[in-house]
Amino acid sequence: MCGITGIINPKEQNVIKKMADAIRHRGPDDDGYFTDEHVALGMRRLSIIDLARGKQPITSADGRFLIFFNGEIYNYKELRAELGDYEFKTDSDTEVILAGFKKWGEKVLPRLRGMFAFAIYDTRDKKIFLVRDFFGIKPLYYLVEPKESSLSAHGPRGKFANNDDSFSILAFSSEIKSFLVIPEFKPEVNNSAVFNYLSFQYNPLTETFFKNVFKLPPAHYMTIDVKTGRAEMKKYWQFEFKQNNALDERETAEEILKVMRDSVAHHMIADVPVGSFLSGGIDSSIIATLMQKVRGENPPSHKASEGQGKIKTFTVGFESLSEGNEAKETAEPLGTDHREITIGAEEYFKALPKVVWHFDEPVADPSALGLYFLAREAAKHVKVVLSGEGADELFGGYNIYLEPFARRKITWLPRFILRTIASMPFRGRNYAERALSKLEDWYIGNASVFQENEIKKLWQDDIPRFNLGTLYEKVKGLSDSTKMQYIDINTWLVGDILAKADKMTMAHSLELRVPFLDIRVAHFVATLPDRFKWRGSTTKYLLREAFKKILPESVRRRKKLGFPTPIRDWLTRDRVDVYDTILENPYIKSHMDVTYIKKLITDHTFKRTDNSRKIYLLLVLAVWYNVFIENSKLKINTNGHS
């Protein structure tokens, strides 16, 4: 696990060292660099596999190609066997990628089983090959220099389609903060990203909160000609549902157990200690249970884990709201070495500026700070943790996926009755409103903070909202619940779930692995029909059935937990510091209706309505602006310390 970075035609050769130092938290164990007349490339290494010889960059035997790699390839031993004629210098997965690329070119990508973002440099043809993994587990950003008005909120226009000269690639990195040390880069706010953030609670666009900085989308690669900065981007994989209604329930449940056990076993491959997050819900309980079984059958051989027969598990709780008891229901029968931490409101809000710095872009998910503190604790004991991200999206675990089934009970009512119900001021009115609408008209993903009518009151400019129409078109023949899954897999999963998983753990130099997002698991889960995902009021039905004889019954039947945060109760009238941070922020005052925001705060603090998510979203935006644009109020330096 590492952080990679690079700059094309740098005006200062020493800037690459500064770029790598800005992401030192991603790899405190080692660094590596390469420079020639066209590029400067660098990385910070967190040593996980082949600790002694895995130093990067690794160069091909003929000296033509070199690689900088962030991630893990879990089937690297199998691939290495296929590449038997290659003269390997290390036992690392990094060199296996390079050997595979040399033999198969970009066709090596579908063969990889893991999480990855890497750069391969062709020193002869002067081209860089940048890649991001299937689901976007690992981040990768690039900075462009526009030569005319050619950029849209969905990425550079023309360049990839028409191969014109409207802009050139300047740099790339695992985190945006690397670009801040480039003298030519002046951070400016991208209003389109902010506008969409108000609805989604994260930025769903390809362009980031910083003008001219973009994300390489998941399952894409980019080839850059470093002599010109011109680039070509292509998609190499797409998740598709291929539901098989002929599957047998019992046999499929057995296959789920087999596939998940294989995934967990591969995700435990490491030369350092490996632990697990344990929220108390079924997903993390599955991971911890399978880890303990694998550990019992295959004790670790590396010295760092000698005598460690127990898996180390970690849980976070908050004052007045804790999952400790639920997590113990899994940890105690398994006999894991379990640790729980509890976070209070003062510690939570004090950490927010540092957390926002690590995020690069605002993500208004209150649970992210829980993950930040959890990773800090886990990093004291292990170097790698496994976690349950992706299970809800792939297996259908969110409760809202059940709504289309429930709506069938009222959609037979005449529309004038539904409209009457929807106009009444009671808790279920939104449910009735959605029953009157097509899914495509209201479902934008798991998070929907400010509604469109509310944004019209809040935002003072006219900017279009991110259009999900293309995604909906790809699943138009499937059920509404499956459409919801597809939207979340392509937006919410990468923009919120995986973003916080990567940034919050790497903030503490901790590698997080996600066995549910293994490519083999994904291919298998794509075949599950709806009846295997949802049954009555039960989500992830067959996943629960598969572990019927393995998990405690209370755990197996438990509703989704996640890392709940009592942010509603913490945003009291006494939190003047929070409200002043929002109301005095220059960006918010210049782009939003402050009077409307004051009403949101007043209504919440007097308990007229729960506006905690809206207030928290605005708080994170204000802190982000202070940290990255003003950079004076909070005095955050490039090491993330206040």
Side-chain angles (χ1 to χ4, degrees):
M1 182 61 64
C2 308
I4 63 172
T5 190
I7 185 167
I8 298 167
N9 297 317
K11 292 183 173 65
E12 300 177 17
Q13 285 294 322
N14 67 341
V15 75
I16 190 63
K17 178 71 164 55
K18 296 178 182 178
M19 292 175 70
D21 285 346
I23 55 173
R24 188 181 186 279
H25 51 276
R26 297 189 72 90
D29 296 335
D30 196 7
D31 59 0
Y33 303 94
F34 173 87
T35 59
D36 66 9
E37 68 273 24
H38 296 292
V39 300
L41 308 172
M43 62 85 65
R44 294 293 319 192
R45 185 185 180 207
L46 183 66
S47 303
I48 303 295
I49 293 176
D50 194 1
L51 308 185
R53 296 186 297 166
K55 184 176 176 64
Q56 299 181 33
I58 292 178
T59 306
S60 60
D62 60 5
R64 176 180 171 182
F65 299 101
L66 59 89
I67 183 172
F68 288 95
F69 169 53
N70 169 29
E72 302 292 349
I73 305 301
Y74 306 119
N75 65 334
Y76 77 98
K77 292 180 180 178
E78 294 97 316
L79 289 174
R80 182 175 175 131
E82 288 188 57
L83 297 161
D85 57 342
Y86 189 89
E87 295 183 11
F88 287 94
K89 296 175 288 186
T90 73
D91 293 322
S92 70
D93 52 347
T94 306
E95 190 175 17
V96 171
I97 299 173
L98 186 62
F101 178 80
K102 198 169 185 302
K103 182 173 183 176
W104 299 307
E106 68 271 13
K107 292 182 179 179
V108 71
L109 301 178
R111 293 172 175 261
L112 301 178
R113 185 180 183 183
M115 54 182 184
F116 49 86
F118 60 82
I120 293 177
Y121 182 43
D122 184 339
T123 61
R124 187 191 72 186
D125 293 347
K126 304 301 179 185
K127 291 183 177 180
I128 293 176
F129 185 68
L130 290 180
V131 185
R132 193 174 180 197
D133 64 55
F134 306 103
F135 289 104
I137 302 169
K138 293 290 102 185
L140 192 58
Y141 302 90
Y142 61 96
L143 171 65
V144 305
E145 180 182 31
K147 297 181 181 178
E148 58 185 61
S149 182
S150 63
L151 301 178
S152 76
H154 303 288
R157 288 199 305 264
K159 181 65 179 182
F160 302 118
N162 303 318
N163 211 28
D164 64 19
D165 290 312
S166 57
F167 70 91
S168 60
I169 306 292
L170 284 178
F172 66 87
S173 182
S174 295
E175 296 187 16
I176 296 172
K177 57 184 63 67
S178 289
F179 303 148
L180 299 175
V181 304
I182 300 174
E184 297 85 358
F185 178 62
K186 305 300 179 188
E188 296 181 66
V189 182
N190 170 22
N191 291 339
S192 292
V194 178
F195 179 81
N196 281 279
Y197 162 79
L198 298 175
S199 292
F200 291 83
Q201 96 172 13
Y202 63 91
N203 171 26
L205 309 179
T206 302
E207 189 173 356
T208 70
F209 268 68
F210 298 85
K211 286 184 178 179
N212 302 328
V213 177
F214 294 81
K215 310 162 191 171
L216 185 65
H220 279 69
Y221 68 82
M222 178 189 290
T223 304
I224 307 169
D225 184 331
V226 300
K227 291 177 290 187
T228 63
R230 296 175 66 181
E232 180 181 9
M233 183 163 61
K234 291 184 179 179
K235 192 167 191 173
Y236 65 84
W237 181 80
Q238 173 65 56
F239 179 84
E240 296 178 347
F241 285 105
K242 298 180 180 179
Q243 295 176 329
N244 181 359
N245 286 304
L247 290 175
D248 177 79
E249 183 172 317
R250 182 183 60 80
E251 292 176 355
T252 306
E254 291 175 355
E255 189 64 21
I256 288 173
L257 180 58
K258 180 181 176 181
V259 168
M260 282 306 305
R261 188 194 181 288
D262 177 71
S263 177
V264 168
H266 275 80
H267 280 69
M268 290 177 69
I269 295 173
D271 295 331
V272 295
V274 180
S276 176
F277 288 160
L278 186 60
S279 70
I282 186 173
D283 305 329
S284 60
S285 295
I286 285 173
I287 299 300
T289 299
L290 290 176
M291 286 181 71
Q292 193 66 59
K293 288 183 178 296
V294 171
R295 172 64 60 84
E297 296 167 7
N298 303 284
S301 58
H302 51 82
K303 292 182 179 179
S305 288
E306 284 181 0
Q308 290 190 359
K310 297 181 178 181
I311 293 293
K312 293 184 184 297
T313 53
F314 307 90
T315 299
V316 64
F318 298 93
E319 290 177 352
S320 76
L321 184 62
S322 176
E323 293 182 314
N325 291 333
E326 289 84 356
K328 287 176 183 177
E329 285 187 36
T330 300
E332 289 180 356
L334 280 178
T336 67
D337 183 0
H338 188 65
R339 289 170 174 79
E340 178 187 358
I341 59 169
T342 302
I343 305 301
E346 294 308 315
E347 187 177 9
Y348 183 96
F349 286 111
K350 183 179 180 181
L352 187 58
K354 190 180 293 187
V355 168
V356 169
W357 183 87
H358 278 290
F359 254 126
D360 281 335
E361 295 188 271
V363 175
D365 187 336
S367 68
L369 270 81
L371 191 55
Y372 174 85
F373 289 113
L374 185 63
R376 185 179 69 179
E377 175 63 24
K380 299 174 184 176
H381 308 278
V382 296
K383 212 167 185 178
V384 177
V385 290
L386 273 58
S387 190
E389 280 79 1
D392 289 312
E393 289 78 11
L394 291 187
F395 282 92
Y398 293 117
N399 291 326
I400 198 168
Y401 295 160
L402 296 171
E403 185 171 307
F405 301 105
R407 281 208 314 266
R408 295 172 187 171
K409 298 176 182 178
I410 66 169
T411 50
W412 60 271
L413 291 169
R415 294 186 69 81
F416 79 89
I417 294 180
L418 289 174
R419 282 194 290 269
T420 301
I421 296 172
S423 65
M424 297 170 65
F426 77 109
R427 188 175 180 181
R429 63 178 298 183
N430 291 336
Y431 182 79
E433 287 175 355
R434 293 196 291 267
L436 287 164
S437 308
K438 293 191 304 181
L439 181 72
E440 293 84 343
D441 294 335
W442 65 269
Y443 190 73
I444 64 171
N446 249 279
S448 180
V449 184
F450 284 99
Q451 304 302 310
E452 287 191 81
N453 63 318
E454 295 172 321
I455 292 176
K456 290 178 182 178
K457 300 176 185 177
L458 175 66
W459 187 260
Q460 297 180 354
D461 299 325
D462 186 19
I463 295 176
R465 191 164 76 164
F466 179 59
N467 190 342
L468 295 168
T470 302
L471 291 175
Y472 273 113
E473 184 66 23
K474 291 179 180 178
V475 286
K476 60 182 179 181
L478 300 176
S479 69
D480 279 359
S481 296
T482 304
K483 289 177 182 177
M484 289 171 149
Q485 279 185 277
Y486 192 77
I487 295 300
D488 285 339
I489 287 169
N490 286 278
T491 56
W492 164 259
L493 178 64
V494 63
D496 184 295
I497 300 297
L498 295 177
K500 70 183 182 187
D502 175 83
K503 299 293 179 64
M504 296 299 92
T505 53
M506 292 309 295
H508 302 289
S509 308
L510 179 71
E511 175 174 300
L512 182 140
R513 300 178 177 180
V514 283
F516 280 106
L517 291 178
D518 180 81
I519 191 63
R520 294 187 185 179
V521 174
H523 285 154
F524 177 73
V525 172
T527 68
L528 300 182
D530 284 4
R531 72 179 190 276
F532 286 176
K533 291 179 281 188
W534 308 290
R535 188 76 58 90
S537 61
T538 300
T539 60
K540 292 184 288 200
Y541 166 74
L542 202 56
L543 179 66
R544 297 176 190 274
E545 288 297 301
F547 287 84
K548 195 169 187 176
K549 297 180 181 179
I550 297 174
L551 293 178
E553 193 65 7
S554 60
V555 175
R556 193 179 69 85
R557 293 181 175 274
R558 186 171 294 141
K559 294 285 187 181
K560 178 173 174 54
L561 294 173
F563 289 120
T565 310
I567 197 72
R568 179 185 64 182
D569 299 328
W570 285 350
L571 290 173
T572 62
R573 288 184 231 180
D574 298 331
R575 291 244 67 110
V576 178
D577 55 335
V578 168
Y579 309 132
D580 284 350
T581 298
I582 297 170
L583 297 172
E584 296 175 5
N585 183 265
Y587 183 85
I588 287 177
K589 288 198 292 186
S590 63
H591 290 80
M592 301 181 196
D593 188 332
V594 174
T595 301
Y596 178 67
I597 296 173
K598 287 180 179 178
K599 186 176 186 309
L600 290 176
I601 294 171
T602 300
D603 286 348
H604 178 80
T605 54
F606 281 88
K607 298 183 179 181
R608 294 170 190 151
T609 185
D610 178 8
N611 289 326
S612 57
R613 289 179 65 202
K614 295 181 175 69
I615 295 170
Y616 185 77
L617 180 147
L618 294 171
L619 172 64
V620 172
L621 172 63
V623 172
W624 173 83
Y625 185 86
N626 291 342
V627 170
F628 285 100
I629 306 302
E630 282 205 329
N631 199 27
S632 58
K633 290 183 180 179
L634 299 171
K635 294 182 173 63
I636 303 294
N637 66 30
T638 55
N639 288 317
H641 302 300
S642 53

